Amino acid sequence: MAKQPVKNALKETRIRRGITQERLAQLAGLARQSVISLERGRFLPTIETALRLADSLEVAVEDLFWLTEKPK
């Protein structure tokens, strides 16, 4: 399995804020299944989706998503 280039703290941040997956999906304009898939690292969000999630959770995008390796 290939190493994921991007990690996220979506689930941890959502739980810390006391927000359900369903509520986060509503706030960010997503389907609940999309939130689940993002939390599990199954796919990467678009820039727009990342910004919506960060705004919904009232955090910076960099607090939710980061690169696992620095570019060479």
Side-chain angles (χ1 to χ4, degrees):
M1 177 182 252
K3 184 177 177 183
Q4 293 287 35
V6 177
K7 295 288 185 182
N8 77 69
L10 188 57
K11 182 176 182 177
E12 296 83 356
T13 305
R14 176 183 60 75
I15 290 170
R16 193 170 48 250
R17 306 283 292 165
I19 298 174
T20 64
Q21 290 173 332
E22 182 67 32
R23 183 66 183 140
L24 179 57
Q26 291 171 349
L27 291 169
L30 302 171
R32 182 174 159 267
Q33 188 60 42
S34 294
V35 172
I36 292 168
S37 293
L38 285 163
E39 286 184 352
R40 292 182 178 169
R42 290 187 178 157
F43 74 91
L44 297 176
T46 64
I47 293 170
E48 178 184 359
T49 298
L51 290 167
R52 287 178 186 265
L53 288 165
D55 186 56
S56 298
L57 292 167
E58 299 178 342
V59 297
V61 173
E62 296 85 0
D63 294 335
L64 290 181
F65 302 96
W66 62 91
L67 294 172
T68 57
E69 295 179 0
K70 299 259 185 207
K72 295 180 181 180

